[in-house]
Amino acid sequence: VHDGLLIAKVVNNEVRSRLVLQETELREVYKERQERYQQVGEQTISHILFLVPQEASSREEERLRAQAESVLQQLQKGGDFAALARQYSSGPSAERGGLLGTFRPGDLLPEFEAVVATLKPGELSNIVRTPVGLHIIRVDARQQGGVRTFEDVQEEIRMEVLRNRTEQKYQEWLAALRQQAYIKILYEG
């Protein structure tokens, strides 16, 4: 342990302490790698699920659709989404007031996602059929995608550049030490 600390201290003194990074260099790296700092938009979604078993008869599905229509009408008249989700939803999100969570494009069932893409925050969908069942969907919030700012990623870039430069300078320093070293090999055969 002592030797390792001593080596780290020498490397830090001989290599890392001599590295200087300018903000302009960091900004250049940011511009070169901007696609790396792209953020995908996300949306927070709630739903009320009326689970339709695969073996359900058309009569059973119609009963569930009628129930979903009734709940949708209550919502359109100002009903409390969370309370109605707790009361009627068949999914595990029911106990959270229908809150499914925050998702990126491609995370959801295609039928579900197609409807979510058309909704504004706070807006309700009509009844949506998926392989799981019938849904009433609400988009709670939508965060737009975009490129993270330089200020947001500056420290991340600084650490990466510093790590790469330290490794490069360390290898150069070792090579110089090897050239300066006098090594005599005694071999008795």
Side-chain angles (χ1 to χ4, degrees), residues 48-63:
I48 299 174
L49 169 64
F50 299 87
L51 193 62
V52 178
Q54 286 184 346
E55 66 279 350
S57 66
S58 59
R59 174 176 267 163
E60 176 66 15
E61 186 168 340
E62 284 305 313
R63 186 189 67 73

Side-chain angles (χ1 to χ4, degrees), residues 18-182:
R18 297 178 185 188
L19 292 177
V20 178
L21 297 177
Q22 301 295 324
E23 186 174 324
T24 54
E25 293 175 83
L26 299 177
R27 284 191 183 277
E28 280 182 36
V29 171
Y30 174 74
K31 285 178 185 170
E32 290 170 7
R33 301 177 184 172
Q34 219 165 25
E35 73 281 346
R36 195 189 270 189
Y37 306 114
Q38 184 74 30
Q39 287 182 309
V40 177
E42 298 177 325
Q43 51 245 348
T44 303
I45 301 166
S46 294
H47 79 147
I48 299 174
L49 169 64
F50 299 87
L51 193 62
V52 178
Q54 286 184 346
E55 66 279 350
S57 66
S58 59
R59 174 176 267 163
E60 176 66 15
E61 186 168 340
E62 284 305 313
R63 186 189 67 73
L64 289 168
R65 182 171 289 282
Q67 186 180 31
E69 291 284 352
S70 170
V71 171
L72 182 58
Q73 287 174 2
Q74 290 177 58
L75 289 168
Q76 289 169 337
K77 292 177 183 172
D80 182 346
F81 192 95
L84 289 168
R86 283 186 195 92
Q87 185 177 353
Y88 293 103
S89 187
S90 306
S93 64
E95 57 195 43
R96 295 186 308 275
L99 179 65
L100 275 176
T102 302
F103 300 91
R104 293 179 171 187
D107 288 349
L108 302 167
L109 292 169
E111 304 90 341
F112 200 97
E113 196 158 313
V115 172
V116 166
T118 67
L119 296 174
K120 296 177 182 144
E123 193 175 12
L124 295 170
S125 72
N126 288 318
I127 295 169
V128 178
R129 179 69 161 106
T130 70
V132 178
L134 303 168
H135 308 260
I136 299 171
I137 305 167
R138 181 181 73 187
V139 172
D140 298 320
R142 183 170 274 132
Q143 297 81 32
Q144 297 300 320
V147 178
R148 292 167 58 198
T149 66
F150 173 74
E151 288 72 23
D152 288 344
V153 296
Q154 182 176 1
E155 195 54 35
E156 184 181 322
I157 294 170
R158 179 184 308 283
M159 294 308 293
E160 183 181 347
V161 170
L162 193 59
R163 186 173 42 253
N164 291 342
R165 290 241 180 104
T166 300
E167 181 61 29
Q168 178 186 354
K169 293 296 182 188
Y170 176 69
Q171 293 303 327
E172 290 171 7
W173 179 67
L174 283 179
L177 285 179
R178 285 186 188 110
Q179 278 188 332
Q180 295 170 7
Y182 173 76

